[in-house]
Amino acid sequence: DMRLVKSFWEAVEQLLPDEDERNRFHSMLREYRSSLDLERLLREMRRFVNSPRRIPLYEAVRPLIPLRHQIAYDARALRPPSDRPALVQLQRSGAASSAFGEPEPYGFSVRGGAEHGIGFYVTYVRPRSHAWEQGLMPGDELVRVNGFRIDRAISAELADLVRSRNDLSLRVRRVGLIPRRIVPDDPLSWEHISPELLNTHRDTVRVFLNVRDAGGVGCSVASDGPPDRPNGVFIRSVKVGSPAEQVGLEVGDELLEANGQRLSGLPHSATVVALKASPHLLLTVRKARPLPDYPTDEDSALASSAAAAASVSPIYEEGSSGYAELNSASSPTGGRGSGGGGGGVSSVVGGGSTVTIDLHKSPPPGGRVTRGEFQLERPHPATAARHGDTFEEQEITTYF
């Protein structure tokens, strides 16, 4: 256990170099150990994990979480991005869109670029689009596009690369954070995606077990899986009162990794050794049945807002108090148009290459109005916004 404590302190000191911030972090953990209020802990953790570099804080805290909270904690916690980016293959027919006479969009938007000092991050994926079906999700970082590294690309270069093809091969890292800058001179901030989105394409859970005083995990395993996973390692029985039962493991769950070691394909004896080699086990598990949801009031409100927005328009820019919709009600000559629903385009003014738009993030009257600009190559702002010209509401988002 001293090794765990040392590892925890080293991680916190590295990730939180400011002493005052570290003291607040430790105070948060002491409060959690006293109250066991997991939802409060997770809300406060988001304030500390304010950049991708700090995502490992979730892993540092995981051993401090009681067994019965491990699965619920994992459902909210970001995981360190894999060293092996996931592959997402996208295709579109190339046929003209009936609405705009141009190729149908892939259905996702990104933000970032070398001109902003960051990579490219997916900010939105249209439900039921090809990108959604292939597993692309908000918070993903694009690493390569059709084999090309894009870490030094600017947004215009990425746009040219994506729009020139009807098929995309994307290498992405699951990050779970979206960059945001309200005013150009402001420091960059990062927003967590909602837990519902976080778990949309997750099919595994990670749980930490300290079995030093328990004499073992408390389950038996079989190394002969079903026809589709013949080399998998599956739980055959769970002992009542054991760490395995307390953490939520069940008969039929598949054990994928133990302390980073892949278990599939190992001889049965090697699997047993891997599960007994250390008193501290970080298990990656594929559950035998769907995981329960762990909603909070805040999460339910976010989900309701997203669902309401999705019923209006496929193009949204997520804001601090809702969603701004870009619809086609504006005049192609730069007159005025009106938004629909609870958030949208309240007015469109201007013409030529620059159009200024007022976006209301909450229903007027009394709603905050934010001014932004579109830099357009086409005369029709709504058409250009839907098909991916640079969108700037004091930050850059490009829709593909």
Side-chain angles (χ1 to χ4, degrees):
D1 287 348
M2 289 303 298
R3 186 173 58 183
L4 269 182
V5 172
K6 181 181 178 182
S7 176
F8 169 77
W9 279 93
E10 289 177 348
V12 172
E13 286 192 1
Q14 180 182 5
L15 296 168
L16 302 176
D18 182 78
E19 184 177 0
D20 289 341
E21 191 174 24
R22 282 201 308 272
N23 289 336
R24 293 194 301 272
F25 185 78
H26 291 307
S27 176
M28 173 196 71
L29 294 177
R30 286 193 296 270
E31 175 62 29
Y32 168 66
R33 297 295 288 180
S34 173
S35 67
L36 292 181
D37 187 341
L38 182 63
E39 297 300 337
R40 179 179 176 182
L41 171 71
L42 289 163
R43 286 196 303 270
E44 295 185 358
M45 281 284 291
R46 289 187 172 204
R47 296 209 306 267
F48 290 98
V49 183
N50 56 13
S51 75
R53 188 186 70 83
R54 290 187 172 187
I55 289 176
L57 278 174
Y58 282 110
E59 292 300 302
V61 169
R62 193 184 295 271
L64 308 180
I65 305 299
L67 291 175
R68 70 177 186 272
H69 284 175
Q70 282 282 328
I71 289 180
Y73 177 82
D74 186 70
R76 295 289 191 274
L78 301 181
R79 299 177 184 175
S82 172
D83 293 332
R84 293 183 295 179
L87 176 64
V88 177
Q89 301 274 17
L90 302 180
Q91 288 185 329
R92 59 184 177 185
S93 65
S97 164
S98 59
F100 302 106
E102 299 180 8
E104 195 68 30
Y106 288 105
F108 70 98
S109 61
V110 300
R111 182 181 300 162
E115 68 268 42
H116 305 290
I118 57 173
F120 292 96
Y121 291 81
V122 177
T123 60
Y124 173 76
V125 181
R126 178 162 52 86
R128 296 175 297 279
S129 66
H130 189 55
W132 177 272
E133 293 171 351
Q134 295 303 308
L136 194 66
M137 61 183 293
D140 284 352
E141 180 187 10
L142 303 187
V143 179
R144 289 179 179 267
V145 176
N146 291 341
F148 294 98
R149 288 181 55 179
I150 57 173
D151 52 326
R152 297 183 180 181
I154 63 174
S155 54
E157 292 171 332
L158 177 67
D160 289 341
L161 179 62
V162 170
R163 293 177 191 147
S164 65
R165 299 289 298 271
N166 286 325
D167 60 301
L168 291 179
S169 177
L170 306 178
R171 287 287 180 178
V172 302
R173 288 194 185 100
R174 300 279 189 245
V175 176
L177 296 173
I178 295 174
R180 183 169 177 79
R181 179 179 283 127
I182 303 299
V183 176
D185 293 334
D186 279 356
L188 188 71
S189 63
W190 296 82
E191 296 180 350
H192 285 63
I193 67 171
S194 72
E196 289 78 14
L197 287 174
L198 186 65
N199 291 287
T200 297
H201 298 294
R202 274 189 184 177
D203 63 350
T204 63
V205 298
R206 288 158 62 91
V207 294
F208 181 89
L209 295 85
N210 186 344
V211 298
R212 179 184 295 277
D213 299 325
V217 178
C219 66
S220 63
V221 297
S223 299
D224 51 347
D228 59 332
R229 297 196 297 277
N231 298 317
V233 176
F234 293 83
I235 294 179
R236 186 170 59 185
S237 65
V238 178
K239 183 179 179 181
V240 176
S242 66
E245 184 192 48
Q246 293 177 56
V247 84
L249 299 184
E250 301 171 290
V251 173
D253 289 351
E254 182 180 5
L255 304 184
L256 302 176
E257 293 182 356
N259 289 342
Q261 180 180 4
R262 187 173 179 177
L263 301 179
S264 177
L266 290 180
H268 184 76
S269 57
T271 299
V272 173
V273 169
L275 295 174
K276 292 185 174 182
S278 172
H280 308 126
L281 280 176
L282 178 61
L283 298 177
T284 302
V285 183
R286 180 180 287 118
K287 296 293 292 178
R289 63 187 68 182
L291 291 174
D293 292 326
Y294 298 93
T296 65
D297 292 340
E298 177 186 6
D299 297 333
S300 298
L302 286 172
S304 298
S305 176
S311 66
V312 181
S313 169
I315 314 299
Y316 300 95
E317 168 59 20
E318 187 172 358
S320 59
S321 59
Y323 287 80
E325 174 204 347
L326 307 178
N327 59 32
S328 56
S330 56
S331 166
T333 58
R336 289 188 173 269
S338 61
V345 178
S346 56
S347 64
V348 180
V349 184
S353 62
T354 300
V355 178
T356 300
I357 293 184
D358 288 340
L359 299 171
H360 57 267
K361 295 293 187 68
S362 55
R368 178 172 62 86
V369 175
T370 304
R371 297 188 68 84
E373 287 190 347
F374 284 89
Q375 302 296 331
L376 303 177
E377 297 176 359
R378 303 183 188 90
H380 195 312
T383 300
R386 283 186 184 273
H387 282 268
D389 282 330
T390 301
F391 172 79
E392 179 177 343
E393 189 219 328
Q394 296 140 347
E395 62 191 355
I396 301 298
T397 299
T398 306
Y399 182 73
F400 298 113

